[in-house]
Amino acid sequence: DTAVSQTPKYLVTQMGNDKSIKCEQNLGHDTMYWYKQDSKKFLKIMFSYNNKELIINETVPNRFSPKSPDKAHLNLHINSLELGDSAVYFCASSPGLRGEQYFGPGTRLTVT
Amino acid sequence: EDQVTQSPEALRLQEGESSSLNCSYTVSGLRGLFWYRQDPGKGPEFLFTLYSAGEEKEKERLKATLTKKESFLHITAPKPEDSATYLCAVQAPNTDKLIFGTGTRLQVFP
């Protein structure tokens, strides 16, 4: 059983397009996150949601919009994709606002 | 500013050659320090949480320790399957967000 799953695993698209990445967790956790890992493997938080409420919103372009339809899902929609958006995006979840986080397998986004 | 620095960037070991990875941090009021393992093409896998100086955690060949300024991940008699990137993160006191280091890429050769 996959604890944190993401779809798609790979996403190749052209500049200017709009795309979405979906995330689901079956751990019963209250908090979910989106991270971006750049080409140098640096992992940085983008957003976090606790019980469907936005808690952390880092300095991320407003082209990125997270949506949490329920506690088990956190999706990421990206408008007007740019070359610099190319990266691996990870979803994660944790039981609460503190403590260890469990990561999904990642979505490799390539913008051409 | 809260910061995490890991060293070395890369480490090559012979199978059985024990060593340590370092994670130095500056954070005002540590809420927790976390170690993760990341294999190529996969998400980070949680290993340990440490909360206070002097605390130690062990799992198979790995042992994590914590002081007031740094944490060490000791690898005893490593095997090739221990090859991975090891990430360290601290939890910031005000926002609870995890701040990651850039990782240590470990390669263990038979």
Side-chain angles (χ1 to χ4, degrees):
Chain A
D1 286 344
T2 304
V4 182
S5 59
Q6 296 178 227
T7 54
K9 183 153 178 68
Y10 300 97
L11 188 52
V12 181
T13 187
Q14 292 184 328
M15 283 176 55
N17 285 348
D18 303 338
K19 290 293 178 185
S20 292
I21 307 172
K22 295 186 176 182
C23 177
E24 177 181 1
Q25 55 95 2
N26 62 8
L27 297 167
H29 288 169
D30 287 338
T31 311
M32 296 185 71
Y33 310 82
W34 278 111
Y35 284 85
K36 180 179 181 179
Q37 189 170 48
D38 60 24
S39 56
K40 294 185 177 181
K41 306 299 183 186
F42 182 61
L43 198 59
K44 188 172 181 186
I45 190 165
M46 300 172 68
F47 303 102
S48 80
Y49 270 75
N50 181 254
N51 284 319
K52 296 170 51 181
E53 180 185 347
L54 181 66
I55 300 296
I56 294 174
N57 184 349
E58 287 293 283
T59 310
V60 176
N62 57 16
R63 298 181 295 103
F64 291 79
S65 54
K67 281 192 171 55
S68 181
D70 55 58
K71 276 181 15 175
H73 296 84
L74 180 62
N75 304 323
L76 183 65
H77 188 76
I78 315 170
N79 289 326
S80 303
L81 278 155
E82 300 178 356
L83 291 176
D85 297 332
S86 295
V88 181
Y89 292 84
F90 288 100
C91 177
S93 73
S94 62
L97 290 172
R98 298 179 191 171
E100 61 268 18
Q101 298 175 14
Y102 297 87
F103 285 77
T107 296
R108 180 174 293 277
L109 171 65
T110 303
V111 183
T112 62
Chain B
E1 184 185 347
D2 301 328
Q3 202 167 7
V4 177
T5 304
Q6 290 187 247
S7 62
E9 275 189 31
L11 182 61
R12 293 163 59 98
L13 298 174
Q14 203 72 32
E15 184 172 1
E17 180 187 1
S18 301
S19 188
S20 296
L21 282 53
N22 177 265
C23 171
S24 298
Y25 62 91
T26 53
V27 62
S28 52
L30 182 68
R31 287 268 171 88
L33 185 140
F34 305 86
W35 281 100
Y36 286 84
R37 168 190 172 130
Q38 187 173 22
D39 292 297
K42 296 194 175 180
E45 176 191 346
F46 170 70
L47 293 174
F48 304 110
T49 308
L50 301 166
Y51 288 106
S52 55
E55 191 175 356
E56 298 182 351
K57 293 271 180 75
E58 277 189 77
K59 181 180 179 180
E60 296 180 357
R61 296 176 292 282
L62 300 177
K63 178 179 175 181
T65 61
L66 181 65
T67 72
K68 288 186 178 178
K69 292 183 180 180
E70 57 192 349
S71 176
F72 291 94
L73 185 65
H74 307 278
I75 303 177
T76 303
K79 297 183 177 182
E81 53 261 42
D82 295 323
S83 297
T85 295
Y86 290 86
L87 299 169
C88 170
V90 297
Q91 192 147 38
N94 296 325
T95 62
D96 287 325
K97 67 180 182 181
L98 289 191
I99 301 166
F100 280 85
T102 49
T104 293
R105 189 173 70 254
L106 173 67
Q107 292 178 292
V108 182
F109 295 92

